[in-house]
Amino acid sequence: MKKLLLTGFEPFLQFKINPTMKIAAELNGQSIGDYEIHSEILPVDFRIAGQKLLSYIEKYKPDTVISLGLAGGRYKITPERIAININDGESDNSGNKLEDERIIDEGEDGYFTTLPIRNMINSLQSSGLPAEISNSAGTYLCNHIMYQALHYAKKQDADMKAGFIHIPASHELAVVHGKIPSMSHEDLLKGIRICIEVLSENDRS
């Protein structure tokens, strides 16, 4: 079978629960379509998250990397179209606050996802789940990780696909937070499974 590295993030900022952790844990070791899933959780730290991701890529040598991130406030599942070469935003969990810093000095200004995101959106919507393509992964850790994976693929392994999917808050997080839209864990999990199934089908076509 092919290998899929699936990553989530630990809680961060005002989000005391990160639903990507639970999704990654539940899918770890499962087979979906042609993919065997290997899950890892990344730290919300500009200085080490990218290196952690690259170490997992070296460990598993995946055919595809899908990273998941929480977009508190969004109300749809949103695969990202592009990652840009900028670190910027609020302080991370280690207190690093970066501004206008390039992720990789010699890297391209941006990299487009190599996941079949349009097909993913079509399948998610056909399954009754709200979804749309996002044209901005921001400049925080989610964008950082997406950029790192795509830069690696460009420079080291042109056959490796990579991309990022943002998800809304789970109901569990929304209850704790109090002021954000949410989807059920079951629907979020179903949505990511659908995305992986679409990836597998796209590989065969």
Side-chain angles (χ1 to χ4, degrees):
M1 297 191 75
K2 294 182 177 181
K3 294 180 182 179
L4 172 67
L5 173 59
L6 181 70
T7 70
F9 275 112
E10 64 186 6
F12 64 103
L13 299 176
Q14 71 270 35
F15 305 113
K16 305 305 182 185
I17 297 168
N18 194 325
T20 65
M21 294 180 66
K22 190 172 181 180
I23 292 170
E26 289 191 20
L27 292 180
N28 186 39
Q30 292 193 24
S31 296
I32 299 176
D34 297 329
Y35 281 92
E36 179 183 21
I37 299 171
H38 302 272
S39 297
E40 297 287 353
I41 304 303
L42 298 172
V44 178
D45 185 320
F46 279 113
R47 298 308 185 202
I48 62 175
Q51 294 307 309
K52 283 279 190 182
L53 174 68
L54 297 181
S55 73
Y56 294 138
I57 291 174
E58 293 292 339
K59 176 181 177 180
Y60 296 113
K61 295 181 169 44
D63 298 278
T64 300
V65 177
I66 294 180
S67 294
L68 306 178
L70 166 66
R74 290 190 190 179
Y75 50 90
K76 296 181 180 181
I77 297 172
T78 50
E80 297 295 341
R81 194 189 299 272
I82 190 171
I84 61 173
N85 193 2
I86 288 291
N87 287 325
D88 197 298
E90 298 185 63
S91 298
D92 64 20
N93 285 357
S94 297
N96 301 303
K97 182 172 174 56
L98 306 184
E99 185 174 84
D100 302 334
E101 178 186 274
R102 290 180 72 82
I103 298 170
I104 298 174
D105 286 340
E106 73 278 11
E108 301 289 339
D109 289 339
Y111 293 115
F112 285 100
T113 184
T114 48
L115 301 179
I117 58 174
R118 178 60 65 188
N119 291 346
M120 288 177 174
I121 293 299
N122 292 341
S123 188
L124 287 165
Q125 292 177 344
S126 295
S127 299
L129 295 175
E132 66 183 4
I133 291 173
S134 167
N135 291 315
S136 175
T139 55
Y140 200 55
L141 268 295
C142 295
N143 174 77
H144 179 95
I145 287 301
M146 181 180 177
Y147 187 92
Q148 290 272 12
L150 288 165
H151 180 77
Y152 179 95
K154 177 79 170 181
K155 300 300 181 182
Q156 304 291 335
D157 184 356
D159 292 331
M160 188 187 83
K161 296 184 179 71
F164 199 96
I165 301 173
H166 267 119
I167 64 170
S170 61
H171 293 335
E172 181 184 18
L173 171 57
V175 168
V176 172
H177 186 280
K179 295 182 180 180
I180 49 176
S182 61
M183 292 174 62
S184 71
H185 171 72
E186 291 73 21
D187 279 347
L188 292 172
L189 182 65
K190 176 184 175 182
I192 300 308
R193 291 184 65 92
I194 287 171
C195 288
I196 298 170
E197 289 166 358
V198 169
L199 171 68
S200 183
E201 292 165 2
N202 191 78
D203 288 348
R204 298 185 202 131
S205 61

